[in-house]
Structures are given as structure tokens and as C-alpha cells.
Amino acid sequence: MFTFPQETNTAYVKLTPKRVDFGAITVCLRTITDLNRNHALFSLSATPDHNAFLIFKPTTDGIQIHVHQGQTETFGGEDYKVNTWHSICSTWDSVTGVVQLWLDNKPFIRKYVGGARIRNPSVIIGQEQDSHGGGFDKTQSFVGMISDVHMWDYTLSACEIQEYMLDRNLTPGNVLNWKALDYRTYGRVLTEQKTTCSCTE
């Protein structure tokens, strides 16, 4: 689990993907925060598009998925509570141009964003990239914890996403695999094992 304990433009985790050319993407992660302002949940930049694939929580209602520069869809009406663990997945396919979001095992409608193949990615969590690999703004930084990050270079089926949401056996990401993650932390980021406990009186 990665913990981002303060608002800053210097704390982030750079993830090294196993593949660098995508015609489709699925990203899944779990997150908890108390933020009520804009913040990035997953930032993938590619030249020349710094928002090649971005999962973003704005101050207003909804979760935004950005695919390439200027192509954004907002999925509204979600039950995104602060100080609560949430499981989030998003898929995108360059052939159909369709993007979809799942939040806590709830699918949202599919929406069209278009988009071409994505190449030479820079993948970062904790910050939103306004340039390839940088351009961070602390007012868009993430504060909280993120865990179980996976990425695939194809769109998972609804059943496969449900397996992730329910924390069952899942084929790990072939681009980013949480259990074998290649990463580097920068700034004040804590790494620790995510644990759950049951207490009895």
C-alpha cells in the first residue's frame, strides 16, 4: 500500500509498465482519501498527450476519465464517500473509442471518447502530469492511500472486473501487476503491507 500523507507537488510513485504500446487499457485500483477537492487517481502521460489516460476526481460530482488531450467523459451519480475504501476500474478501447467506469462493483454506462493508440507511457500515481513525467500541481495531488494497482493492455470483461472488485482470483495485470510491481517512490510516500484485522472484546 502506498500512503501519501500530505498535499505536495513532490510526492509520487512512478510505475514502470511491462508494455509500452496500447490499443486498449484496463486500470483497476483501490483508494481511500478524505479529499473534497480535485485530485488524480491514476495518471498516464504519453508524448504529446500528457492526459493520455487519466482517472481524475474533480471537486464536483463524478469521476472523470481523460483519454488523449481534451477527450474527457464524466461519470456522475457515484457514491464516492471520503474515508472509505473504494475499488475503481476503467476500460478504454481505441477501436470502438468507448470508455467505461466501475465503482465498488457498480458499472456505469459506456461513453464515447475516441482516441488513437497510446505509446511510450509515463505512469504516475499521487500526482497529475501536466507534462510528460512532471508538471505537478499540489492542488491536484492525491492525499490518502492507494493499493492493488493493476493494468492490462486489453479490456477486461464485466465478469473479470467483478472478480477484482470482490477480491477473488484474478489474472494479474500484464502491464502493471501489483504483486510484482516495478516502481520508484519520490518525496514523502510510505510503503507498507495493507492489512485488515478483526477485533473481539
Side-chain angles (χ1 to χ4, degrees), residues 71-87:
Q71 301 178 51
T72 304
E73 279 295 341
T74 301
F75 297 84
E78 88 292 349
D79 189 18
Y80 190 83
K81 297 178 180 177
V82 299
N83 290 314
T84 300
W85 277 103
H86 293 291
S87 296

Side-chain angles (χ1 to χ4, degrees), residues 80-181:
Y80 190 83
K81 297 178 180 177
V82 299
N83 290 314
T84 300
W85 277 103
H86 293 291
S87 296
I88 297 170
C89 290
S90 180
T91 63
W92 165 76
D93 186 339
S94 65
V95 174
T96 64
V98 169
V99 66
Q100 190 170 15
L101 177 77
W102 281 259
L103 175 65
D104 299 332
N105 210 20
K106 174 187 174 183
F108 290 74
I109 65 169
R110 297 173 180 172
K111 297 188 176 184
Y112 179 80
V113 294
R117 296 188 71 89
I118 294 172
R119 296 181 174 90
N120 302 318
S122 167
V123 183
I124 284 175
I125 55 176
Q127 300 286 342
E128 193 269 314
Q129 301 175 76
D130 283 334
S131 62
H132 193 59
F136 306 140
D137 178 349
K138 71 176 184 179
T139 65
Q140 296 179 330
S141 66
F142 178 81
V143 180
M145 287 93 87
I146 291 178
S147 182
D148 299 335
V149 181
H150 287 270
M151 178 177 169
W152 298 260
D153 64 353
Y154 56 91
T155 57
L156 293 191
S157 68
C159 289
E160 289 173 310
I161 288 177
Q162 186 177 56
E163 293 295 303
Y164 175 87
M165 293 290 175
L166 299 178
D167 204 14
R168 295 176 178 168
N169 291 332
L170 173 75
T171 301
N174 66 339
V175 178
L176 299 171
N177 176 1
W178 180 254
K179 294 183 178 179
L181 201 60

